Amino acid sequence: MTLPDRDLLLCRDCCCGSPTKHPGVDHDALRDALLEGAARVDGPRVRARVVDCLAQCDRSNVVLVRDFATGGRPHDTWLGGVLDHDLVAAVLRWAADGGPLPADLEALAFAQVRR
């Protein structure tokens, strides 16, 4: 199996995607936009998957961006609060383009909390 250049893991379990925690957000539409957008990316291979709890429950709507493009051990970037279509589009652009974390996503980045 060939790994993608970037793997987008979308947390969907107890907190993430919860209308109780974020009423008025269409979580299903955001999930679909991420999955469908990743499938349309040209150039580097980008895969998006919905996963169970990533154990970052202090945050919600978490996306783990795992970058395999550098070779060797993957580099993980944790993003929390991906709550609108503009942010989903920014994640997809960054995944497709690579490079350093763009300014419009910097405020969402956080260090993984080990549980």
Side-chain angles (χ1 to χ4, degrees):
M1 178 176 110
T2 302
L3 289 174
D5 289 342
R6 285 169 204 86
D7 206 0
L8 309 177
L9 305 177
L10 176 64
C11 185
R12 281 293 183 263
D13 197 26
C14 58
C15 303
C16 295
S18 168
T20 303
K21 199 166 194 177
H22 298 286
V25 173
D26 188 343
H27 298 283
D28 292 341
L30 294 176
R31 177 201 60 218
D32 294 347
L34 186 75
L35 295 173
E36 292 166 9
R40 289 191 307 265
V41 169
D42 291 329
R45 292 176 314 275
V46 175
R47 175 177 62 182
R49 298 181 289 143
V50 175
V51 297
D52 288 335
C53 188
L54 289 170
Q56 302 303 304
C57 298
D58 292 342
R59 307 219 190 290
S60 63
N61 292 63
V62 171
V63 177
L64 169 58
V65 180
R66 182 159 281 163
D67 189 344
F68 296 98
T70 58
R73 187 174 182 173
H75 178 266
D76 290 347
T77 302
W78 293 84
L79 302 172
V82 182
L83 289 164
D84 65 43
H85 287 279
D86 290 341
L87 293 173
V88 169
V91 170
L92 289 166
R93 270 192 311 277
W94 177 47
D97 295 344
L101 187 65
D104 54 350
L105 295 176
E106 283 179 2
L108 303 181
F110 66 94
Q112 176 189 22
V113 176
R114 301 239 184 236
R115 301 206 186 265

